[in-house]
């Protein structure tokens, strides 16, 4: 126990026991909001290896900075937790201000501070991960935090985090946006493998897109998370057009409140200019009404615009025109696709509609 903490010696063991039980019962437990990982995926190992050190002290900047040196000097320690002896002794705002002041000094020591409080508003999709029994400040080594982040960044742990959540954990805006973009691309990729690439009886037992899996496994698809505007999409066209090994550019808007009508207008505008470049645009949206006999094939998890090569699309359509893929398509379905499609699909649609008319007569 550090010098100056003797005033709290009678309650030190009691407070540490309470916090330890909180860690075991809550912090170390897996949660669906965090990809079924624990609140802190590394807490149990650190606790069992006795790499956590508690100090029950009056929380003050100079006191914590004085004691922080022992963390830098002791490689066996992973975390130092400075606990205020009274549950209502400091407000959440005071803890937050203290953390900000500490982090101005701690970076030079290769350390970072995190504050926790019984009334902390920080939450992940309603899960309050920092409402600990006592106000406390935790110090960890910067490299430990970075290593932990690298281990779990693709695990689903951050899938429900907002940019505000990430910034509150001292990630830069660039780091926060990168994590959010990774999450969106993973979600969209899962949708492609779990739905778009799966065969369906309404499409003659062919996948929603019969060519999606091949394009994905051959790395011919590129994702771009961005705010969808006509200008920003046009900015991407030259580099995509100059990269023939890419077949599809999927531009995803992270704003789920972008309307389906906005996506459709954007696609229509893009397709006025793209055919001259051997390109075309298709749109997807969580509420897209397009369906084949009740099968909604464009209800993607995020608003998006996909840019594809016309010649690639034409070869694809020619390869399946006699497969039965289009047998349940209606005149409305074809009209919704043909204006933005290569000549081959126009031929398929015309033949299909003639066959439907002949069968009715």
């Amino acid at each position: 126990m550090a010098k100056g903490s003797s005033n709290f010696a009678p309650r030190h063991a009691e407070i540490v026991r309470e916090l330890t039980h909180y860690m075991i019962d809550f912090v170390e437990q897996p949660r669906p909001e965090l990809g079924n990982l624990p609140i802190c995926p590394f807490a149990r190992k650190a606790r069992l290896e006795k790499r956590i050190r508690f100090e029950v002290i009056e929380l003050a900047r100079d006191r914590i900075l004085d004691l922080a040196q022992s963390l830098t000097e002791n490689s066996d320690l992973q975390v130092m937790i400075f606990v205020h002896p009274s549950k209502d002794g400091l407000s959440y705002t005071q803890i937050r201000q203290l953390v900000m002041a500490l982090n101005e000094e701690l970076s030079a020591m290769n350390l970072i501070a995190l504050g926790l409080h019984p009334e902390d508003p920080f939450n992940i999709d309603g899960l309050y991960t920092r409402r600990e029994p006592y106000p406390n400040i935790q110090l960890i080594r910067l490299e430990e935090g970075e290593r932990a982040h690298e281990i779990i960044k693709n695990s689903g742990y951050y899938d429900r985090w907002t940019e505000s959540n990430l910034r509150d954990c001292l990630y830069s805006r660039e780091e926060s946006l990168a994590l959010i973009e990774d999450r969106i691309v993973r979600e969209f990729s899962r949708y492609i493998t779990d739905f778009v690439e799966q065969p369906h009886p309404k499409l003659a037992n062919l996948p929603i897109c019969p060519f999606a899996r091949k394009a994905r496994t051959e790395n011919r698809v590129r994702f771009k998370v961005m705010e969808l505007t006509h200008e920003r999409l046009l900015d991407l066209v030259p580099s995509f057009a100059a990269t023939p090994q890419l077949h599809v550019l999927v531009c995803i808007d992270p704003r789920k409140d972008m309307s389906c009508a906005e996506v459709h207008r954007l696609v229509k505008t893009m397709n006025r200019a793209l055919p001259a470049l051997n390109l075309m645009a298709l749109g997807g949206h969580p509420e897209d009404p397009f369906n084949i006999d009740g099968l909604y094939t464009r209800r993607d998890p995020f608003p998006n615009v996909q840019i594809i090569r016309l010649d690639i699309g034409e070869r694809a359509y020619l390869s399946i025109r006699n497969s039965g893929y289009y047998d349940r398509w209606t005149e409305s379905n074809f009209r919704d696709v043909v204006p933005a499609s290569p000549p081959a699909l126009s031929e398929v649609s015309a033949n299909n509609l003639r066959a439907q008319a002949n069968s009715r007569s």
Side-chain angles (χ1 to χ4, degrees):
M1 189 181 304
K3 181 180 178 181
S5 61
S6 59
N7 291 337
F8 309 118
R11 295 199 60 233
H12 183 280
E14 175 188 337
I15 290 171
V16 170
R17 273 197 304 273
E18 185 173 352
L19 279 173
T20 301
H21 285 307
Y22 169 82
M23 289 175 62
I24 295 169
D25 296 340
F26 181 66
V27 178
E28 297 178 11
Q29 299 305 309
R31 297 289 307 202
E33 297 91 340
L34 298 169
N36 291 317
L37 289 175
I39 308 297
C40 176
F42 312 97
R44 185 174 186 274
K45 186 173 187 293
R47 175 178 60 82
L48 294 176
E49 293 179 353
K50 303 187 185 302
R51 301 188 68 190
I52 302 173
R53 176 175 165 183
F54 292 92
E55 292 286 352
V56 181
I57 62 171
E58 293 278 357
L59 297 182
R61 174 181 171 277
D62 291 342
R63 292 286 306 283
I64 293 173
L65 288 175
D66 286 344
L67 293 168
Q69 192 63 39
S70 61
L71 177 58
T72 65
E73 295 171 351
N74 186 348
S75 60
D76 290 333
L77 278 181
Q78 186 170 321
V79 185
M80 287 190 73
I81 303 178
F82 300 95
V83 189
H84 196 76
S86 173
K87 292 186 177 184
D88 57 1
L90 289 174
S91 69
Y92 160 71
T93 301
Q94 288 174 301
I95 289 290
R96 188 174 180 86
Q97 290 171 343
L98 181 54
V99 166
M100 292 174 64
L102 285 166
N103 279 323
E104 291 178 358
E105 306 285 341
L106 289 173
S107 59
M109 303 169 66
N110 196 36
L111 300 175
I112 189 170
L114 177 67
L116 302 100
H117 190 276
E119 298 177 355
D120 197 311
F122 181 91
N123 70 91
I124 309 297
D125 199 19
L127 175 66
Y128 291 87
T129 60
R130 297 183 182 177
R131 289 193 170 173
E132 303 217 341
Y134 292 83
N136 70 81
I137 288 177
Q138 303 184 9
L139 302 189
I140 64 171
R141 294 182 181 82
L142 277 171
E143 69 266 19
E144 291 276 0
E146 291 169 357
R147 185 159 54 246
H149 164 67
E150 285 298 316
I151 292 171
I152 64 174
K153 69 177 183 179
N154 295 319
S155 66
Y157 184 85
Y158 294 108
D159 282 1
R160 301 195 195 183
W161 287 50
T162 64
E163 183 180 350
S164 175
N165 291 145
L166 295 163
R167 295 294 297 276
D168 206 27
C169 287
L170 302 180
Y171 290 112
S172 69
R173 184 174 188 275
E174 291 73 19
E175 291 169 324
S176 301
L177 291 176
L179 279 170
I180 291 171
E181 289 177 7
D182 287 346
R183 181 193 73 201
I184 290 171
V185 170
R186 283 200 310 275
E187 183 176 346
F188 209 102
S189 298
R190 283 196 299 268
Y191 164 79
I192 290 173
T193 55
D194 294 347
F195 178 67
V196 177
E197 295 180 8
Q198 299 306 309
H200 200 282
K202 292 183 178 180
L203 297 170
N205 290 317
L206 288 173
I208 307 299
C209 176
F211 314 98
R213 185 177 186 277
K214 186 173 189 293
R216 174 178 60 82
T217 56
E218 293 180 354
N219 296 317
R220 297 185 180 275
V221 182
R222 178 171 293 171
F223 295 94
K224 177 70 175 176
V225 179
M226 56 185 281
E227 183 178 343
L228 294 179
T229 66
H230 183 245
E231 292 75 17
R232 295 194 69 186
L233 286 167
L234 284 181
D235 286 344
L236 297 174
V237 167
S239 62
F240 175 68
T243 314
Q245 64 268 29
L246 289 178
H247 290 180
V248 186
L249 175 63
V250 184
C251 303
I252 309 169
D253 198 311
R255 305 167 301 163
K256 288 195 174 184
D257 59 351
M258 184 181 188
S259 72
C260 186
E262 288 178 281
V263 172
H264 287 177
R265 284 195 296 269
L266 189 53
V267 166
K268 186 176 181 180
T269 303
M270 291 292 295
N271 280 323
R272 291 172 184 158
L274 290 180
L277 300 171
N278 186 39
L279 301 175
M280 61 180 280
L282 296 172
H285 190 277
E287 298 177 356
D288 198 305
F290 182 90
N291 70 90
I292 308 298
D293 195 17
L295 174 64
Y296 291 87
T297 59
R298 298 183 185 175
R299 288 197 168 169
D300 302 338
F302 293 88
N304 70 90
V305 171
Q306 302 180 23
I307 300 175
I308 67 173
R309 302 185 189 281
L310 276 171
D311 55 344
I312 298 294
E314 184 170 0
R315 287 201 301 272
Y317 289 127
L318 284 171
S319 70
I320 61 172
R321 64 178 175 175
N322 297 320
S323 66
Y325 182 87
Y326 297 106
D327 285 357
R328 300 198 191 190
W329 284 48
T330 65
E331 182 177 354
S332 174
N333 292 145
F334 283 113
R335 284 177 177 169
D336 200 27
V337 175
V338 170
S341 300
L345 185 56
S346 299
E347 176 192 341
V348 171
S349 64
N351 290 340
N352 186 280
L353 293 174
R354 283 195 293 270
Q356 288 182 16
N358 292 335
S359 66
R360 286 194 294 269
S361 62

